[in-house]
Amino acid sequence: MPAVINAFRLTAVTLVAGATWVCAVPDALAAQTPPGGGIGEGSGSGADTSASAGVDGNKVSSTVAGAIVIDRSKNGIGESAGAVTSTNSWTPPACYYAPKYTPKELEAQMRQVWSSSAPSPEWALKTQNYFVNGDPYKDFNKGKAGQGYWWDSYVTEGREADPASEDCDKQPFWVGKGDAPPADTPQAITPETLAQLAYAEIRVPSTMMSLAPDGTTKVNLPTWAWLNAAKFKPVSVTASVPLLGISATTTAEPVSLTIRPGTDDAVTYPASGQCATRNGQIGEPYAKGKAGETPPCGAKYLRSSGDGSYKLQATLTWKISWTSTTGQGGNLPDGTFGADQDVVVQEIQAINR
């Protein structure tokens, strides 16, 4: 990537205690802290752009008021909760563009770079022409302070090594308040992008099942399986950009459970292995008197596990949809989350006399 681009790549790093936006500049400046900070900090203009970092319950806010704010207060909880995986090859965007700097903040950032020995004279001249000398911007657009923001690229957390993160290689560009970003910038933040970023933050409960018999069963004895339905309610995450006044909420709703016994020497109930969600219930708890019945969700092992055990896998499929403050919305690819548990299968020995 050309040096003129490297100076402006921004990586969004979401932390448990908040979100920090790290600016990647030439190597000689990599360890230095930019003097301008983000929107609402340092030498910025200040007017209704302030922001504070931290956690309010499960709501994680960014130190940059113009960046993404993630509200996880309606997300799944618990030690074993985890992220859903798309049922196809779809993933949220690896990078995107969003507001980053006021004119004064970008000036402070760039003058620090120019005063160092890192950039080449050619690079320094090119960027000075771009931001200062009217090709195409004049004096960092300071004459338009309060009327818009400098947008720059962000890399989604965990996607730093993804080649797709290199797609956001434009230099910072100016977007006036109320204006749409340039048409040739498909990665510019939108409500749908926010919904996709929220998708990556969805957390759902563990699928460790209740079994009867529990842990140890017998050959040819149906094993009943069910989940605590109270845990499996819709969960949601909201992502927003306060400076743009837009937000999107992504909701995950449990649809069906797929069980795999962990061996070919078994049958599942139902035969497809897919236990539907009915009236908020997944499977059915075993009760006294049901020994002769076929479980609506479960398995029957045909061979002993010997000295070991079988890995019973339960994977829950979640339907994912989104809505936004703009009225836009729709569906995103279904997500799955599963867990394994050990099942010991013993063979009953009988002696014929």
Side-chain angles (χ1 to χ4, degrees):
M1 181 183 299
V4 68
I5 300 301
N6 285 340
F8 307 112
R9 295 305 307 274
L10 293 158
T11 303
V13 182
T14 304
L15 303 177
V16 174
T20 303
W21 304 97
V22 182
C23 179
V25 297
D27 292 341
L29 295 178
Q32 298 184 25
T33 302
I39 291 173
E41 299 178 294
S43 58
S45 59
D48 56 44
T49 60
S50 61
S52 59
V55 179
D56 179 8
N58 286 318
K59 183 174 182 180
V60 178
S61 60
S62 168
T63 57
V64 181
I68 310 301
V69 173
I70 302 293
D71 184 349
R72 301 186 182 91
S73 60
K74 297 180 181 179
N75 209 357
I77 58 176
E79 291 183 2
S80 300
V84 295
T85 300
S86 170
T87 54
N88 56 32
S89 58
W90 178 88
T91 59
C95 67
Y96 52 91
Y97 294 99
K100 172 60 182 177
Y101 294 112
T102 63
K104 286 185 177 180
E105 289 164 347
L106 183 58
E107 178 184 25
Q109 171 72 30
M110 291 309 304
R111 293 202 182 282
Q112 181 194 28
V113 177
W114 290 332
S115 65
S116 74
S117 59
S120 67
E122 294 78 12
W123 181 90
L125 178 60
K126 184 172 183 178
T127 52
Q128 287 167 6
N129 286 337
Y130 181 85
F131 291 113
V132 180
N133 299 329
D135 186 18
Y137 300 107
K138 185 73 173 178
D139 195 21
F140 295 97
N141 265 7
K142 286 190 291 186
K144 297 183 179 180
Q147 302 174 35
Y149 305 100
W150 286 98
W151 287 41
D152 207 344
S153 63
Y154 294 85
V155 176
T156 305
E157 179 189 7
R159 305 289 293 279
E160 294 82 6
D162 189 331
S165 68
E166 303 294 335
D167 292 343
C168 300
D169 58 1
K170 293 173 67 72
Q171 297 185 50
F173 53 89
W174 179 265
V175 179
K177 287 184 178 180
D179 293 342
D184 63 347
T185 313
Q187 301 92 348
I189 201 77
T190 65
E192 185 170 7
T193 307
L194 288 172
Q196 294 171 351
L197 295 173
Y199 185 114
E201 299 297 327
I202 289 285
R203 298 294 181 268
V204 296
S206 168
T207 57
M208 293 293 289
M209 305 189 73
S210 297
L211 302 175
D214 184 15
T216 300
T217 187
K218 307 298 182 182
V219 172
N220 291 323
L221 177 66
T223 298
W224 292 59
W226 68 95
L227 285 170
N228 183 351
K231 291 183 179 180
F232 294 92
K233 298 178 179 180
V235 299
S236 64
V237 172
T238 298
S240 60
V241 182
L243 282 177
L244 301 181
I246 60 173
S247 68
T249 298
T250 299
T251 301
E253 182 178 1
V255 177
S256 65
L257 181 80
T258 300
I259 59 172
R260 296 180 177 86
T263 174
D264 292 336
D265 294 315
V267 296
T268 58
Y269 304 106
S272 65
Q274 293 188 342
C275 305
T277 301
R278 295 189 179 93
N279 300 321
Q281 183 70 48
I282 303 173
E284 181 181 325
Y286 177 78
K288 187 176 181 179
K290 294 183 177 181
E293 299 181 18
T294 298
C297 182
K300 181 172 69 175
Y301 290 92
L302 308 179
R303 187 183 298 274
S304 166
S305 60
D307 295 331
S309 61
Y310 295 124
K311 292 286 186 182
L312 175 68
Q313 182 184 67
T315 302
L316 195 62
T317 297
W318 297 76
K319 180 181 178 181
I320 313 292
S321 61
W322 66 281
T323 58
S324 70
T325 51
T326 64
Q328 296 172 285
N331 294 320
L332 292 170
D334 289 349
T336 61
F337 183 64
D340 296 340
Q341 55 199 105
D342 293 325
V343 177
V344 176
V345 182
Q346 298 176 340
E347 189 168 8
I348 299 176
Q349 301 292 333
I351 299 175
N352 294 323
R353 295 183 182 275

